[in-house]
Amino acid sequence: MSSDLTAFQLTTPTLNSPYPIGPVGRLNAPLLLLLLIILALLPLPTVGVAAVGQPTISVNAFNPYQLFIYITGPAAPGVNASSLLGGVNCTLLYKSASMVSGVLRVGFVVPWNGRYIACNLTSIVKALQGTPMVKLVNTSNTVLVSATLSRGVLRVAYLGPNWPMFALSIIILVWPIPAVAILGRRAVERQRASREVSQIYSYGIRVGFPLYIAWFVVFMVGLAANVVYATPIQFALRPLISSQAVNMGITIAAPLAATLAAIAVVQRHYYNALKRLIGEERWRGVVEERIVNRYAAALFILIMAVASVYGLASWLIYAKLTAPWLIKGVMSAAVFVTMPIVVGTSIPRLLLRLTRAYGNVLEDPTVQGMVNDIWARMGRPGPPPRAYVADYIMGMRYNAVATIGGKVFVAKPMLSLLTPEELYSVLVHEVSHIRHRHISVMMLISVVFVAAVVVPLEVSISYGLTHPNPLIPLILVIYFITLLAVSIPAIMFIKRRLEAQADDDAAKAGFNPRAFISALGKITRANLMPARFGRVESLYLTHPAPVARVLKIADKYGIPRDEALKIFGGEG
C-alpha cells in the first residue's frame, strides 16, 4: 500500500499545544474544573451551629416522601431511650434509640406529603437537658423548607424552590453543552488550517474524554448533595406522583437524558463539520456511522437499563430495609459494584447480535486456522478462541477485537488490506489478550474503580440520612477529585501496558516482527489515525501511540529505527 504520511505526519500534530478546555482564551482543564467545583459547592447544605452540649434536632428533608429526623443531646440519668419513641404521634418507618454515657441519640424516619407535617416530640424533648436547637439539613439550598419546634411539636413545611440556587444547579448540569460547542468550533478552525486528518481522531480524545471526566466530578458533587437539580422538581411533582420511585426516576433521569441528548446534537454538528473538511468519501471508507450510532445507542440503553434496576434495588434497600446505616450503605454499594460485570459480559453478545443485524458474520476457515495455529504455539490448553469475520467491527472497517468469552472479531476489509503474514501478526495480538485474560483484568479494574466510587458515596449517604454533617459532601468532593486524578491515568497506563504485552507476543511468535510493524502502519493510515499524540492526549489513550509501539518493537528486536519508520510508513 502506498505511503500517504502527509495525511497524518510522523511529527507531532498541530494540536499538541497545552490542552485548551475553556470558553475564555486558553483556560486549561484544571482551572476550569476548579471553577466548576466552586460553583457546584455553592448549593451544598448549610446548617446551624449548636452550642457545646446543647441538644439538637436535625431534620433532613432531602425528598418530599420521607423526613429523616435525628435527635441528640445530654439527658437525665435513667432515661429509657426506647420508650421515648412511643410518645411520637407520627408514623415511624425506621427508628433507633440509645443512651450512651449520658447522651441520648434518637433517629427515625417519618412519611410526609412534601408540603407540611407536625410531629409531637414532647416525650423526647422533656428527656433532654436543655432547650434543643432545630437544624434543617436539606438536600441543598435549591429548596426552601422551614422547621420549627414549639411546645414539643416539630413542624416542617415546604416553602418553595430557591430559584437562584436552582438556576445555578441547572447550569452545573448543562455546562458541557456550550463547552462542546466552543471546543467543537475551535477544532473545526484548526482543521481548516491543517492538512492533518488527525484532528477528527483527536477530537474525541481532546474534547470528549477530559470534558466528561470534569463533568463526572461535578455531577458527583451534585450527587453527594443528593442531586441538587432534581430536588425542586421532586417537590413540584409530589402532588401528582405518589410513587417515590417513579418521581425519582423522572426528576433525576429526565434532565440528565435531555442534557446528554443536547450534548450529542451539538457534538454531532461539529463532528459533521470536521468530517466534511476531511471529505465524506474518505471518511465513509473508514466508518459506517449508522452502525456506530446504533451500537452506541444499544450500549447506552443497556447501561441505563442495568443502572435503573440497580437504582431501584438501592432505593428498596434504603426505603424498605430496617438495618443499621453501615449495612444499608454497604449493601447498596455492593449492588452497584456488580454493574461492570453484568455490562462487560453482555457486550460480546450485543456486539455479535448487532454485527449480524447490520452485516454478514462468518466463521472464516482461513482465519480460524490461523487462530488455531496461534493458540497451539502459545501452548494453551482447551479449545482455541472462535474467530468471526464481519463486515464491520462496531462500525469500523479496519479493526479487530478480542472479547470476553474467547471470541475474536476481524473486520472483512482487513483481509484485503493486510498480507497473510501481517494478518497473522494482528491475530496473535488479539489472541494474546485472551491468553493473558486481559479482558477479565480490565473488568476487575472496572469493578475496583466502581467500588472506589460507590462504596464511600453510598455509605456516606446512608450515614448522612441519620447523622447530618455538612462536611460529608465536601469530604466526598475532595475524595472524588483525588480518585479521578490518580485512577484515570493509572487505568489507561495499565491498559497500555496490556496492549504492549500483546504486542510482545505478536513480535515473538516465531515470525518477522517487521510484518507487525507494517500491519500497524497500514491500519493507522486506513483509519485516518495520527501516528503520534501529545502528552495530554497520551494520558487518555487506551493503546500506545502507533509510532511509540513501532519504536519499542524496533528497539527490542534490533531493527534500526529509520528502517522501522519506513516500514511503518509503507516505504519498506
Side-chain angles (χ1 to χ4, degrees):
M1 184 173 181
S2 62
S3 171
D4 57 350
L5 292 180
T6 55
F8 59 87
Q9 298 295 319
L10 289 178
T11 56
T12 303
T14 308
L15 274 178
N16 285 341
S17 56
Y19 176 60
I21 185 177
V24 182
R26 301 184 69 81
L27 185 65
N28 59 26
L31 289 179
L32 178 60
L33 184 56
L34 178 62
L35 175 63
L36 292 167
I37 293 299
I38 293 173
L39 289 175
L41 285 172
L42 292 178
L44 290 182
T46 56
V47 298
V49 179
V52 176
Q54 181 183 9
T56 59
I57 301 177
S58 300
V59 180
N60 191 329
F62 87 99
N63 72 64
Y65 292 87
Q66 297 99 20
L67 286 177
F68 293 76
I69 301 172
Y70 186 70
I71 304 169
T72 183
V79 170
N80 187 336
S82 300
S83 65
L84 297 177
L85 290 170
V88 179
N89 67 338
C90 292
T91 302
L92 303 183
L93 302 177
Y94 167 82
K95 58 185 178 181
S96 67
S98 64
M99 183 79 168
V100 180
S101 301
V103 178
L104 177 66
R105 292 182 174 86
V106 178
F108 52 89
V109 181
V110 299
W112 76 311
N113 60 7
R115 290 299 180 266
Y116 176 81
I117 191 173
C119 288
N120 192 332
L121 307 180
T122 303
S123 60
I124 300 176
V125 172
K126 286 183 177 180
L128 294 170
Q129 292 181 337
T131 303
M133 172 185 176
V134 178
K135 298 194 304 182
L136 184 65
V137 184
N138 290 338
T139 296
S140 69
N141 290 331
T142 54
V143 292
L144 301 175
V145 179
S146 69
T148 58
L149 182 70
S150 177
R151 298 181 180 180
V153 178
L154 177 68
R155 294 178 173 86
V156 181
Y158 170 66
L159 305 178
N162 184 344
W163 291 110
M165 284 298 183
F166 178 54
L168 178 60
S169 69
I170 294 297
I171 292 173
I172 293 171
L173 175 70
V174 305
W175 68 266
I177 299 174
V180 168
I182 293 167
L183 294 172
R185 179 175 297 178
R186 294 184 67 173
V188 171
E189 291 172 354
R190 287 170 180 264
Q191 181 66 53
R192 287 198 181 100
S194 173
R195 296 180 58 202
E196 299 168 356
V197 299
S198 62
Q199 306 295 327
I200 192 167
Y201 193 94
S202 302
Y203 178 65
I205 298 173
R206 285 187 166 271
V207 176
F209 203 77
L211 190 68
Y212 292 127
I213 288 177
W215 192 33
F216 176 80
V217 174
V218 177
F219 188 73
M220 293 306 288
V221 173
L223 190 60
N226 293 317
V227 191
V228 292
Y229 70 84
T231 307
I233 306 174
Q234 282 192 49
F235 276 89
L237 293 180
R238 176 65 175 89
L240 305 175
I241 303 176
S242 59
S243 170
Q244 183 179 3
V246 173
N247 191 330
M248 289 181 64
I250 293 174
T251 55
I252 295 176
L256 182 60
T259 301
L260 288 171
I263 292 171
V265 169
V266 174
Q267 186 164 284
R268 173 61 54 184
H269 169 74
Y270 289 104
Y271 194 71
N272 287 337
L274 281 169
K275 186 175 63 177
R276 285 193 295 271
L277 289 170
I278 291 172
E280 288 279 350
E281 184 176 348
R282 193 177 189 189
W283 182 247
R284 286 175 184 171
V286 178
V287 177
E288 180 55 54
E289 286 189 80
R290 176 176 59 97
I291 298 177
V292 172
N293 294 336
R294 290 182 181 179
Y295 180 82
L299 186 60
F300 176 76
I301 292 171
L302 172 65
I303 294 174
M304 291 300 294
V306 173
S308 299
V309 172
Y310 287 163
L312 177 60
S314 180
W315 172 75
L316 290 173
I317 290 172
Y318 284 125
K320 304 298 182 182
L321 181 66
T322 301
W325 63 267
L326 181 59
I327 294 178
K328 283 188 173 184
V330 171
M331 288 181 63
S332 181
V335 168
F336 279 99
V337 166
T338 61
M339 184 174 170
I341 300 175
V342 175
V343 174
T345 53
S346 301
I347 287 178
R349 293 190 294 271
L350 178 65
L351 175 62
L352 190 57
R353 287 190 177 184
L354 288 177
T355 305
R356 283 175 172 164
Y358 302 110
N360 297 315
V361 180
L362 304 173
E363 295 188 45
D364 188 275
T366 303
V367 176
Q368 186 64 59
M370 290 183 178
V371 170
N372 294 347
D373 182 67
I374 293 167
W375 194 251
R377 287 188 179 216
M378 290 182 175
R380 299 297 297 177
R386 297 182 65 180
Y388 297 90
V389 175
D391 290 344
Y392 312 98
I393 305 297
M394 294 180 289
M396 300 297 293
R397 297 181 191 272
Y398 301 100
N399 198 6
V401 297
T403 67
I404 196 167
K407 294 181 175 64
V408 176
F409 292 85
V410 180
K412 188 176 180 180
M414 292 272 284
L415 304 184
S416 57
L417 175 70
L418 305 178
T419 67
E421 191 175 19
E422 292 166 349
L423 177 61
Y424 191 95
S425 69
V426 171
L427 290 174
V428 171
H429 176 93
E430 300 303 333
V431 172
S432 179
H433 284 312
I434 297 174
R435 174 199 176 193
H436 295 291
R437 297 184 174 88
H438 288 166
I439 303 96
S440 299
V441 170
M442 291 308 300
M443 186 178 295
L444 177 61
I445 292 173
S446 299
V447 170
V448 173
F449 175 75
V450 171
V453 171
V454 301
V455 170
L457 179 66
E458 294 292 333
V459 170
S460 63
I461 289 175
S462 182
Y463 178 82
L465 292 178
T466 53
H467 303 72
N469 189 331
L471 293 179
I472 292 176
L474 181 60
I475 293 172
L476 285 174
V477 168
I478 297 172
Y479 171 75
F480 285 135
I481 293 175
T482 305
L483 176 66
L484 288 169
V486 173
S487 62
I488 296 299
I491 290 172
M492 294 304 170
F493 173 78
I494 293 172
K495 183 72 168 66
R496 291 193 297 272
R497 292 298 300 171
L498 297 181
E499 293 294 335
Q501 185 181 27
D503 284 352
D504 288 344
D505 275 358
K508 66 184 180 184
F511 57 86
N512 189 348
R514 289 173 172 80
F516 188 55
I517 294 175
S518 178
L520 281 177
K522 289 181 178 180
I523 294 171
T524 299
R525 293 192 298 277
N527 282 321
L528 306 181
M529 178 180 174
R532 295 181 187 268
F533 290 91
R535 291 182 179 178
V536 175
E537 290 172 327
S538 297
L539 292 175
Y540 307 117
L541 291 176
T542 60
H543 291 60
V547 166
R549 297 173 76 176
V550 167
L551 295 180
K552 181 180 178 181
I553 293 172
D555 292 342
K556 188 169 184 176
Y557 292 94
I559 303 173
R561 288 192 165 198
D562 290 343
E563 179 186 349
L565 290 177
K566 287 182 179 180
I567 295 172
F568 176 75
E571 300 175 5

